[in-house]
Amino acid sequence: MKPNAVTCLLLIFCVMNLFFGCSQRKAAPLPELERAEAVMFDHPDSALRILESMPMPTDKEQHALWCLLVTQAKYKQYLPIPSDSLIRIAYDYYKPTDDARCKAMSALYMGGVNYRLQKIETATAYYLEAEVEVEKTSDYKLGYLVMSGLGNLYLYRHLTDYALEVFQKAYDYAVKDSNKRYEMNSLRFMARYYSIKKDYDQSIIY
């Protein structure tokens, strides 16, 4: 092959690589989304005000994150969520990606919303999906939320033996996160389990 032909092929390859690289580049995160996420844990009401006052993101990834955060803020405040249509936008976006944390979060709130809508089988499937994804992360707060939600769902369905194992995992996540409130909640959940089993001495210990 002539040197000029090789040069042309290399040039074409470089141009194509640049094109596809640019097409996959993520948009810079919107400052409103960053602020909302930063205050979500302690002040979900403030997070919701930020999210509802900002322009609707047009970028698909940022729109998915907006849908996830709005659902999270409403869920944490026990505000009415009439359907899973909003969180489903986030779930469908993150599902085929490698973002385990966002996949776990969107599956968690798909489970939580469907649980409140009394769609128990559907909720269980999403919680189990969230459990698989959160194990791929080091987000211990999220791990606690997934496990405690799944454990309470098991108690609701009278699957008490499954619940104890899950609540233990929730406690382990809380310890790793050094979150005393979550540790106390986990111990309370396990006390509730033993109370249901009529093992009151063990319940009192927890």
Side-chain angles (χ1 to χ4, degrees):
M1 187 178 290
K2 295 180 181 180
N4 61 338
V6 174
T7 302
C8 289
L9 286 173
L10 287 173
L11 182 60
I12 291 170
F13 174 79
C14 290
V15 171
M16 290 180 66
N17 188 57
L18 179 62
F19 173 79
F20 287 115
C22 290
S23 66
Q24 295 173 358
R25 189 174 299 148
K26 293 183 177 181
L30 293 173
E32 295 94 337
L33 295 178
E34 291 184 322
R35 288 202 305 273
E37 198 162 12
V39 301
M40 182 69 73
F41 182 73
D42 292 315
H43 304 288
D45 55 334
S46 298
L48 186 60
R49 282 196 296 272
I50 293 170
L51 293 164
E52 290 185 333
S53 64
M54 68 180 286
M56 181 74 69
T58 55
D59 175 79
K60 286 186 177 180
E61 182 178 13
Q62 293 177 345
H63 184 241
L65 180 57
W66 183 88
C67 293
L68 174 57
L69 294 176
V70 168
T71 303
Q72 183 181 17
K74 289 184 175 181
Y75 188 88
K76 286 172 70 68
Q77 297 178 82
Y78 297 94
L79 297 176
I81 303 177
S83 78
D84 66 3
S85 58
L86 188 65
I87 186 59
R88 185 173 292 279
I89 294 172
Y91 176 83
D92 289 343
Y93 177 84
Y94 291 117
K95 177 70 174 175
T97 72
D98 295 326
D99 191 334
R101 180 175 180 271
C102 285
K103 288 166 74 171
M105 283 185 67
S106 56
L108 165 64
Y109 289 108
M110 280 290 285
V113 169
N114 277 283
Y115 176 76
R116 291 186 182 176
L117 295 173
Q118 298 297 304
K119 298 178 181 179
I120 307 304
E121 294 292 338
T122 301
T124 303
Y126 285 119
Y127 273 119
L128 291 171
E129 188 176 328
E131 179 184 12
V132 171
E133 293 300 329
V134 80
E135 289 176 353
K136 303 173 187 176
T137 78
S138 57
D139 190 331
Y140 303 133
K141 280 186 176 66
L142 181 57
Y144 163 82
L145 292 172
V146 171
M147 293 298 101
S148 60
L150 181 59
N152 278 307
L153 190 149
Y154 281 150
L155 286 185
Y156 176 84
R157 299 183 64 189
H158 308 292
L159 300 172
T160 49
D161 290 335
Y162 292 107
L164 181 61
E165 179 183 353
V166 171
F167 285 143
Q168 183 62 56
K169 288 182 180 180
Y171 178 74
D172 293 340
Y173 275 122
V175 171
K176 288 178 181 178
D177 192 51
S178 300
N179 190 312
K180 296 300 181 186
R181 182 171 58 140
Y182 285 176
E183 287 180 38
M184 288 188 290
N185 284 341
S186 301
L187 293 170
R188 180 169 56 84
F189 292 147
M190 286 189 275
R192 183 181 173 202
Y193 161 84
Y194 282 109
S195 178
I196 291 172
K197 300 291 283 186
K198 300 189 185 305
D199 187 344
Y200 300 118
D201 289 340
Q202 195 69 11
S203 179
I204 290 170
I205 289 171
Y206 276 98

